[in-house]
Amino acid sequence: MNDQTVSRQTFDEVMVPCFSPAPFVPDRGEGSRVWDTAGRDYIDFACGIAVTSLGHAHPELLKVLHEQGSKLWHIGNGYTNEPVLRLAKKLESLSFADRAFFANSGAEANEAALKLARRVAFDRHGEQKAEIVSFTQSFHGRTFFTVSVGGQPKYSEGFGPIPQGIIHLPYNDIEAAKRAIGPQTCAVIVEPVQGEGGVIPADPDFLKALREACDAHGALLIFDEVQTGVGRTGTFYAYEDTGVTPDILTTAKALGNGFPIGAMLTTEALAAHFKVGVHGTTYGGNPLGAAIAHKVVELISDPAVLAGVRTRGEAIRAKLAALNERFDVFNEVRGKGLLIGAQLNARFAGRAKDFNAAAANHGVMMLIAGPDVLRFAPSLIMPEADLNEGFARLEKAFEDVAGAR
Ligand SMILES: Cc1ncc(COP(=O)(O)O)c(C=O)c1O
């Protein structure tokens, strides 16, 4: 077989079938537009899944990619490098944290966070303090530990014995959290907005109650900001707007704008429990990823960009309200900043995939979050013209699925 001749069908012939990609094959992107191999253009409201927050082929990121790419890509953690040290300093200047550990994905950042929490509890209190509290519908990644901690059993079933000492509580249920968090609790892990679980924001009082319960019982509070972080909700990290500061924060996705990088941020006192050899990675903290992430962080932490997240978020909510006025498809639009979920009403229950497919037919890339929620996670700097064009196309897609009313 000629390996130059490939198409969407080749996927079914050569790939492990754990994904079901769209019928078209994206080939090139610029800003909030993507072109497929047939030359058709799409307006991008998906950004991968909340990853390419500065759009595609951002000129300043390309410059860093080329500069660092011609200097040093990889050196291993037997050495340090200047880009990773600059990135750590930058992230620490923008957050509560004063120590960073770099990985290659959100799952690995969470794996590090959970292992650190277990190690801290073990060192301070002994092996009985090992329980991890998580929430139903949460998502923390696909390694076996993170998928077991995640609150969607369909992702952890069928792989043999699940790691012990994990419990799941209802999200936003303060009383249940107060009852369950106790001396046996090692850590509580929570998303400030549940992304994969349906774009469900945490109630600030719920997060405060988690903080208080953790403090009362010597447990660590971990915020999984893999999806909410790096500007997505309108502040650099979502915790800033909640009145609650975690002990450990995980960040990935938009951190590299598509270059795979994740990080676990924490305090000096907790970090001290990861002594030499206790945890590690081959690629984490490589100079190429770190240089790119440093530029991403510099660009997104600009107050004008963060303010733009809030105004674009409001513009999208207004557009969704207008679509709903015409088609009566949603019973709720929720989320924060540019992480927006539109919950389909009973008439369209289970049909999020149909809307997604119709959107693609009309040249729009968007996301779903479960069978009933349409999810929007566009570039934080999406041009207004693209946003308007995207919604003009979406209106046609909605005509196909929901008909004119
Ligand atoms: C909140 C959250 N945590 C963790 C992950 C896993 O990240 P990754 O796919 O980079 O491992 C995701 C991915 O969707 C996520 O949304």
Side-chain angles (χ1 to χ4, degrees), residues 8-363:
R8 168 62 183 82
Q9 199 197 322
T10 317
F11 181 94
D12 300 332
E13 295 157 5
V14 303
M15 300 291 281
V16 171
C18 61
F19 300 109
S20 169
F24 62 94
V25 180
D27 179 49
R28 164 174 90 79
E30 201 182 315
S32 285
R33 299 226 175 198
V34 171
W35 286 264
D36 70 12
T37 46
R40 260 192 97 207
D41 81 308
Y42 298 80
I43 306 283
D44 186 1
F45 285 115
C47 285
I49 302 180
V51 169
T52 52
S53 288
L54 290 168
H56 302 278
H58 191 290
E60 292 199 55
L61 297 180
L62 283 176
K63 190 163 168 275
V64 173
L65 176 76
H66 292 142
E67 277 171 10
Q68 187 60 42
S70 55
K71 267 178 82 180
L72 190 67
W73 295 18
H74 180 83
I75 198 66
N77 285 303
Y79 310 87
T80 191
N81 64 80
E82 289 186 345
V84 81
L85 299 176
R86 290 193 195 104
L87 175 60
K89 280 180 93 168
K90 185 90 190 156
L91 288 170
E92 287 160 21
S93 75
L94 289 165
S95 72
F96 71 93
D98 38 37
R99 289 291 184 274
F101 172 84
F102 291 98
N104 313 292
S105 65
E108 285 169 275
N110 283 330
E111 187 83 18
L114 295 164
K115 281 181 70 182
L116 178 62
R118 282 263 176 98
R119 180 55 69 121
V120 170
F122 181 86
D123 290 347
R124 288 183 178 169
H125 306 277
E127 63 187 18
Q128 75 292 347
K129 193 174 175 67
E131 190 172 85
I132 290 165
V133 172
S134 173
F135 299 96
T136 49
Q137 290 305 112
S138 65
F139 186 80
H140 299 297
R142 297 284 198 142
T143 65
F144 200 44
F145 195 5
T146 56
V147 93
S148 308
V149 168
Q152 304 192 43
K154 66 179 182 211
Y155 295 137
S156 56
E157 282 164 4
F159 297 105
I162 287 173
Q164 297 292 295
I166 301 166
I167 63 163
H168 295 99
L169 305 177
Y171 190 65
N172 276 335
D173 186 335
I174 294 177
E175 290 312 313
K178 279 188 184 162
R179 276 197 303 275
I181 296 168
Q184 77 293 352
T185 309
C186 151
V188 175
I189 182 165
V190 66
E191 295 162 85
V193 179
Q194 283 193 336
E196 302 304 304
V199 192
I200 304 171
D203 181 345
D205 287 339
F206 172 64
L207 297 176
K208 285 194 188 84
L210 295 182
R211 180 71 276 175
E212 282 166 18
C214 283
D215 290 345
H217 296 287
L220 300 181
L221 183 59
I222 305 171
F223 271 20
D224 178 344
E225 293 232 27
V226 167
Q227 190 153 159
T228 55
V230 195
R232 173 73 34 206
T233 66
T235 49
F236 191 75
Y237 283 117
Y239 84 86
E240 295 166 45
D241 209 24
T242 65
V244 172
T245 302
D247 301 298
I248 304 176
L249 181 152
T250 54
T251 178
K253 284 192 183 280
L255 185 58
N257 205 65
F259 192 97
I261 179 168
M264 174 189 72
L265 306 178
T266 189
T267 61
E268 183 184 354
L270 297 176
H273 292 261
F274 264 8
K275 295 191 175 62
V276 173
V278 173
H279 191 58
T281 164
T282 292
Y283 297 119
N286 69 80
L288 185 54
I292 293 166
H294 185 272
K295 180 54 80 177
V296 170
V297 172
E298 187 183 295
L299 293 170
I300 292 184
S301 60
D302 178 343
V305 171
L306 295 172
V309 171
R310 296 188 282 268
T311 49
R312 282 173 181 78
E314 279 155 27
I316 290 182
R317 282 164 175 271
K319 298 263 183 205
L320 288 170
L323 278 180
N324 205 28
E325 191 72 14
R326 179 162 173 218
F327 296 104
D328 186 21
V329 282
F330 308 130
N331 56 18
E332 190 185 13
V333 175
R334 59 188 179 233
K336 202 146 190 223
L338 281 171
L339 181 56
I340 298 173
Q343 167 99 32
L344 295 170
N345 62 24
R347 225 160 42 101
F348 295 97
R351 295 196 57 196
K353 273 191 180 164
D354 296 343
F355 282 90
N356 208 21
N361 283 339
H362 287 280

